[in-house]
Amino acid sequence: GKNIHEYQLAFQGPAVVELDNFLIRRSDSPAGDLIPEDLEMYLNAKLGAMRTHQFIKSEHFSYSMEQLTNPFGGINHTYGNTLGQVLANLNKVGARPWIQIDFHMTPEEWQGMVEFLAAPYDPAAGDTPETKPWASKRYAQGRKEPWTDAFDKIYFELSNETWNRIFAPWVFENMPDHGTGQELDRGAVYGLFQEWVIDQLRASPYWAQAKLDDK
């Protein structure tokens, strides 16, 4: 295909074909990992931060926070990229993450993301998948320490170019304020929604415990 990420499988029947989570990778690199020459390039560049594009531009489809916190490949419409996998790659590169996430999540999902990123998880101390479901997912993926411990700063962006209708439906429009009747432009609407999302993130107990206001 014209996109370097796209492959086509052709079959000439009759036949029965069953595929589940089909992945193609290079023999010298695990699926979802940086290939060696790219890792060398990024290390030599000594990047201060790296803005991800893996989780946006999902058109009329998207993903849940449950999918986003899965291992690589366990998600729709992101070429298999997931949050833990991308953070692991950025940690190898030594760059601050600049994460973009589509903005349709529920409060419970945003707070789940904070737990995935910032909550400690230690089975010896009594932590279980029932008490910390999101942190247990991170632990099962091989990351015991919170991801927030790996970086001094994490940049977070809601979606991408939310003024640009090319990326609909993940855009904001002008709309009236329900309380005052004032007409707000799309930038103001985005700003208000951003503040709402930040309120949801801060509602997680792990936000304060990990001192994420400083991160």
Side-chain angles (χ1 to χ4, degrees), residues 114-127:
V114 175
E115 182 184 316
F116 180 85
L117 293 174
Y121 191 84
D122 184 0
D127 291 332

Side-chain angles (χ1 to χ4, degrees), residues 131-208:
T131 59
K132 292 183 178 179
W134 299 90
S136 72
K137 292 183 69 174
R138 184 196 71 234
Y139 185 87
Q141 294 167 28
R143 177 72 191 184
K144 179 180 178 181
E145 298 80 12
W147 275 117
T148 49
D149 289 355
F151 307 100
D152 66 332
K153 296 286 183 184
I154 296 176
Y155 302 114
F156 175 52
E157 181 179 354
L158 289 171
S159 202
N160 174 68
E161 296 186 16
T162 58
W163 46 267
N164 190 340
R165 289 184 176 88
I166 291 175
F167 303 126
W170 313 117
V171 296
F172 289 97
E173 301 287 357
N174 296 356
M175 62 180 67
D177 184 287
H178 181 71
T180 66
Q182 178 186 3
E183 185 73 15
L184 301 177
D185 66 34
R186 62 182 63 187
V189 175
Y190 179 85
L192 290 169
F193 189 83
Q194 171 189 267
E195 292 302 316
W196 179 84
V197 171
I198 292 172
D199 287 344
Q200 310 317 307
L201 300 178
R202 286 178 171 152
S204 166
Y206 306 110
W207 182 275

Side-chain angles (χ1 to χ4, degrees), residues 3 19 26 33 36 43-44 58 61-62 64-65 83 99 102-105 108 136 159 176 198 203 215:
N3 190 311
L19 296 175
R26 281 193 7 184
D33 208 347
L43 289 172
N44 289 336
S58 53
F61 305 95
S62 196
S64 63
M65 188 61 71
L83 185 56
I99 301 167
D102 281 341
F103 53 73
H104 56 75
M105 302 295 175
E108 292 77 15
S136 72
S159 202
I198 292 172
K215 291 264 181 178

Side-chain angles (χ1 to χ4, degrees), residues 6-94:
E6 294 178 354
Y7 299 88
Q8 294 183 356
L9 300 178
F11 302 93
Q12 187 171 359
V16 176
V17 178
E18 296 182 4
L19 296 175
D20 183 15
N21 203 17
F22 181 77
L23 294 172
I24 298 175
R25 65 174 180 86
R26 281 193 7 184
S27 60
D28 61 353
S29 181
D33 208 347
L34 293 169
I35 57 177
E37 56 265 36
D38 282 356
L39 177 58
E40 182 181 8
M41 173 185 66
Y42 290 133
L43 289 172
N44 289 336
K46 294 180 170 51
L47 298 171
M50 198 166 181
R51 185 172 181 245
T52 65
H53 246 33
Q54 285 94 333
F55 310 137
I56 49 88
K57 297 181 180 175
S58 53
E59 298 180 339
H60 289 86
F61 305 95
S62 196
Y63 47 81
S64 63
M65 188 61 71
E66 180 180 0
Q67 289 182 328
L68 191 63
T69 54
N70 279 342
F72 173 76
I75 190 171
N76 296 324
H77 310 298
T78 65
Y79 297 115
N81 293 292
T82 56
L83 185 56
Q85 165 248 342
V86 167
L87 291 173
N89 286 337
L90 293 177
N91 194 30
K92 290 179 183 178
V93 169

